[in-house]
Amino acid sequence: MIAYVVRRLALSVVVVWGLATVTFFMLHLLVPGDPVRRALGPRASEETISNLRHQLGFDRPVLEQYGSFLGGLLHGDLGTSLSLSAPVSQILGDRILPSALLIAYGLVVAFAIGLPLGILSAIRPNGTADHGVRIGTTFVFGMPVFWLGLILALVFGLKLGWFPVSGYRSGVGGTFKTLTLPALTLGLSLVVIVTRTLRSNLINVLKSEYIEAARSRGLSERRIIGKLAMRNAIMPTFTILGALIGYLIGGTVVIEQVYQIPGAGSLLVRSILQRDFQTVLAVTLISGAAVVTVSFLTDVLQAVLDPRVRLEGKS
Amino acid sequence: MTSEMHVLAGPQASVRRRRRHWPVSAVVGLGIIGTIVLLAVLAPIIAPYDPNKLDFASPTLAPSWHHLMGTDQNGRDLFSRTLYGLRLDLAVVAVVTFVPLPIGVVIGSVAGYFGGKLDAVISRLVDIVISFPFMVLVISIIAMVGPGLKGILIGVPIVSWSLYTRLARADMLVIRELPYMEACVALGYSRSRTIFRHAIPNLVRNSLVFSTVDVMGNLLLLAGVSYLGLGAQPPTPELGSIIAEGQAYMLTAWWVVTLPALVLVVFGVGIGILGDSLSDGRLSGVVE
């Protein structure tokens, strides 16, 4: 078990290092021109430019900069934003909470809707309920996230007036009010995946021998599905979260724009329009690291809960 | 044909048999997709108005027989703009889906066939690329090359080859052990002949099935990025940017925001139906 976790952790560290390297060289080799010159504008004097370059260390050899970049990362230093003249880690720190809450709330919505639908369609595959759920989820599958968001804002925000359609307020009540529609948008776009995954897993599990044994002993269907089958069927549904987290982060970028939420996603879009590369790359790197961390945690959790996983690597 | 001959004829024979029995749902899905592609291709003929012609005398007209989807805030015909937007979106998506597909399949097949260090390096690279949230990486590449379709055309292929690599590699690991691959070695075929002529035709199917979902994903991504103002630039008609432009008039002209995306929803239904009937659970390996 420990060996498995260590091996998996080592792999995650390698991937995060790779992410950092790729983002660093993207900034330094692919961006044409001088970021400092562009940030200071055309009227800045040569002296100001070279001073700031020196101050940020941009005049040193690329490999040396790479070294201090990696060193800085270990201390949580993500560089300095040229457009806001503040440490990126500080700017990002203020904006990560709304995004994280949105993702968490969106996941709750996705599972609250997706799990019952998945069970409903797996109980009688190709039955009326299954077809109904499939038709519904297929329609949602083709909806752009921002469009879904606008429709929900139009109906529940502007027409019915139940929720505000833009902004973010902190505190439990404020968060609930301002994030419900965004989370519903994010959650609904995920329901397809949750429902489909659970459905196919549950159908497979229900075919297995131990379920047949339980049936022959006369256990109620409710008990069989709720207690015996779900235990095995729900696991892969949770583990795809590791893959979904990337999708969720992408979704929040768009949804934060729709609902004007001051999160990490809207920071990203703003930074691009202001050509603030340091911030763009910090957000990219942090979101990549978040994906790696979540997939590490889901893998470990899976190994804890399911002995077959941790034994697999040994054979 | 006796059953022994069936066995000897191998995978090709079964492929041919499968092709004869297209399931009804696949035909329906293809029909929907085909209709929408046709609408996009024929946009210049079908569109009743010039998509960029401003008409300040008729701003935000509600849908009617003159303007099937109404007009936007500048009096442009929304139906014509939607058709042209669809045309642009599908063209871009076709490129960013079907260029990386063969590249990814070849890389994955080679990694799976040879194994060892090469495979380890390629697999780690795939892990790294897949770890970036797709949308965020594409956006950060747009940050470098500047807003516009160029960012999409560069950014999406940089990531999406890895999905096909992962699929093809997994299939190759299985195929590599099959007796007919041994036969290729026994017959003295070169490695490239073995991989390209004998292994890839048998593993490309999964990638093609996955590409149906990938097309939809890329379509939504392109619309999303354009909605953010980082993709197609106005006044170019593009579904995402049409909706973004209409957002300010959402209360007075609901049709600008709502109607253009319906074509994507219908396309998604077509893809969903086709994907379901082709996949029979094969897609589960991708979302890993």
Side-chain angles (χ1 to χ4, degrees):
Chain A
M1 180 67 208
I2 291 171
Y4 172 79
V5 173
V6 170
R7 203 169 53 230
R8 192 63 190 69
L9 185 64
L11 181 65
S12 304
V13 172
V14 170
V15 173
V16 171
W17 168 75
L19 286 173
T21 307
V22 171
T23 44
F24 176 84
F25 284 105
M26 273 192 341
L27 173 68
H28 285 265
L29 302 180
L30 290 179
V31 178
D34 182 346
V36 175
R37 196 178 292 272
R38 197 160 34 218
L40 291 176
R43 262 179 277 170
S45 74
E46 285 301 316
E47 203 191 333
T48 341
I49 291 174
S50 68
N51 274 346
L52 187 60
R53 278 176 68 87
H54 183 72
Q55 199 188 325
L56 295 170
F58 283 0
D59 53 351
R60 288 181 295 158
V62 171
L63 280 180
E64 205 183 311
Q65 288 186 51
Y66 175 62
S68 61
F69 166 72
L70 284 187
L73 279 187
L74 293 178
H75 298 104
D77 177 9
L78 293 166
T80 307
S81 160
L82 285 175
S83 74
L84 297 167
S85 2
V88 175
S89 51
Q90 193 188 324
I91 301 168
L92 197 56
D94 295 340
R95 286 182 167 252
I96 239 158
L97 185 67
S99 303
L101 286 175
L102 174 55
I103 289 177
Y105 196 176
L107 277 176
V108 170
V109 172
F111 279 93
I113 300 174
L115 292 187
L117 290 183
I119 295 172
L120 194 66
S121 43
I123 290 176
R124 205 162 287 134
N126 294 319
T128 322
D130 187 23
H131 282 305
V133 170
R134 177 175 301 163
I135 291 169
T137 50
T138 304
F139 269 98
V140 180
F141 169 68
M143 292 180 186
V145 163
F146 60 91
W147 185 74
L148 189 59
L150 287 172
I151 301 283
L152 292 178
L154 193 61
V155 175
F156 295 103
L158 299 174
K159 295 280 180 213
L160 295 173
W162 291 355
F163 295 99
V165 293
S166 74
Y168 168 75
R169 268 174 277 143
S170 52
V172 178
T175 305
F176 174 75
K177 250 188 132 67
T178 49
L179 287 189
T180 294
L181 284 183
L184 194 60
T185 312
L186 192 60
L188 278 177
S189 70
L190 278 184
V191 162
V192 190
I193 303 173
V194 174
T195 307
R196 296 266 166 114
T197 315
L198 180 64
R199 176 185 178 274
S200 68
N201 287 321
L202 196 54
I203 288 175
N204 277 336
V205 171
L206 286 175
K207 278 185 207 147
S208 61
E209 284 172 359
Y210 79 99
I211 296 294
E212 210 169 306
R215 281 209 176 107
S216 63
R217 275 189 285 146
L219 268 71
S220 69
E221 250 340 81
R222 161 178 280 234
R223 185 115 183 256
I224 289 174
I225 291 174
K227 284 223 152 163
L228 300 171
M230 277 302 275
R231 258 187 86 112
N232 278 315
I234 204 161
M235 192 88 88
T237 317
F238 279 121
T239 51
I240 57 162
L241 275 184
L244 289 184
I245 194 81
Y247 174 84
L248 280 163
I249 291 174
T252 56
V253 174
V254 177
I255 292 172
E256 283 175 15
Q257 206 68 15
V258 175
Y259 290 97
Q260 303 294 318
I261 297 166
S266 51
L267 176 69
L268 178 68
V269 175
R270 212 196 70 112
S271 309
I272 288 176
L273 297 174
Q274 302 193 335
R275 307 188 72 74
D276 181 351
F277 296 112
Q278 209 69 41
T279 311
V280 170
L281 289 169
V283 177
T284 313
L285 182 56
I286 291 294
S287 54
V291 173
V292 175
T293 310
V294 170
S295 79
F296 168 72
L297 290 177
T298 48
D299 279 3
V300 169
L301 189 68
Q302 198 186 11
V304 171
L305 297 175
D306 187 346
R308 284 170 301 186
V309 176
R310 56 178 183 264
L311 293 174
E312 204 172 74
K314 283 183 187 161
S315 58
Chain B
M1 209 191 255
T2 67
S3 61
E4 276 144 287
M5 283 176 74
H6 237 35
V7 173
L8 283 174
Q12 269 111 21
S14 63
V15 167
R16 215 174 293 139
R17 268 163 59 89
R18 215 182 290 138
R19 274 193 196 137
R20 239 177 256 158
H21 297 280
W22 276 95
V24 180
S25 54
V27 176
V28 173
L30 274 179
I32 294 175
I33 296 169
T35 309
I36 289 187
V37 170
L38 207 63
L39 279 177
V41 172
L42 299 178
I45 300 170
I46 302 173
Y49 299 87
D50 178 344
N52 287 323
K53 187 165 171 283
L54 305 174
D55 181 0
F56 294 110
S58 51
T60 56
L61 293 180
S64 66
W65 284 114
H66 284 289
H67 297 280
L68 281 178
M69 291 185 176
T71 61
D72 70 3
Q73 62 282 1
N74 296 321
R76 293 174 293 192
D77 179 56
L78 211 53
F79 181 59
S80 307
R81 284 184 74 71
T82 302
L83 284 179
Y84 275 93
L86 182 69
R87 184 181 163 87
L88 176 71
D89 281 343
L90 287 182
V92 172
V93 164
V95 173
V96 299
T97 308
F98 294 107
V99 169
L101 189 153
I103 298 172
V105 167
V106 169
I107 296 176
S109 307
V110 168
Y113 186 80
F114 291 105
K117 275 188 187 143
L118 180 75
D119 181 35
V121 170
I122 290 175
S123 295
R124 285 303 81 72
L125 196 61
V126 168
D127 285 342
I128 291 171
V129 173
I130 287 182
S131 296
F132 279 109
F134 195 19
M135 182 97 183
V136 174
L137 184 60
V138 170
I139 288 180
S140 66
I141 287 169
I142 290 170
M144 303 185 183
V145 300
L149 292 174
K150 204 163 86 183
I152 301 270
L153 288 169
I154 295 172
V156 175
I158 283 185
V159 183
S160 63
W161 65 273
S162 60
L163 301 171
Y164 296 103
T165 297
R166 188 174 265 190
L167 271 177
R169 176 183 172 272
D171 283 344
M172 185 58 118
L173 290 179
V174 176
I175 286 179
R176 193 173 64 177
E177 307 299 329
L178 296 180
Y180 84 94
M181 292 303 279
E182 214 172 308
C184 289
V185 177
L187 286 165
Y189 290 170
S190 70
R191 279 165 174 173
S192 63
R193 180 169 177 176
T194 310
I195 295 175
F196 285 95
R197 298 263 314 263
H198 297 276
I200 288 186
N202 284 306
L203 56 76
V204 80
R205 181 171 179 266
N206 279 347
S207 291
L208 288 176
V209 170
F210 176 68
S211 73
T212 57
V213 178
D214 198 25
V215 162
M216 197 63 218
N218 288 336
L219 198 53
L220 295 178
L221 180 88
L222 171 58
V225 168
S226 296
Y227 169 79
L228 294 175
L230 305 172
Q233 299 296 308
T236 312
E238 193 283 335
L239 296 173
S241 53
I242 293 171
I243 294 170
E245 284 174 50
Q247 198 177 339
Y249 309 88
M250 201 155 72
L251 264 186
T252 48
W254 54 270
W255 52 90
V256 186
V257 169
T258 50
L259 297 183
L262 287 181
V263 70
L264 287 182
V265 176
V266 176
F267 192 76
V269 169
I271 294 266
I273 294 173
L274 180 68
D276 265 359
S277 68
L278 291 182
S279 67
D280 42 66
R282 274 156 210 270
L283 292 179
S284 52
V286 180
V287 186
E288 194 191 319

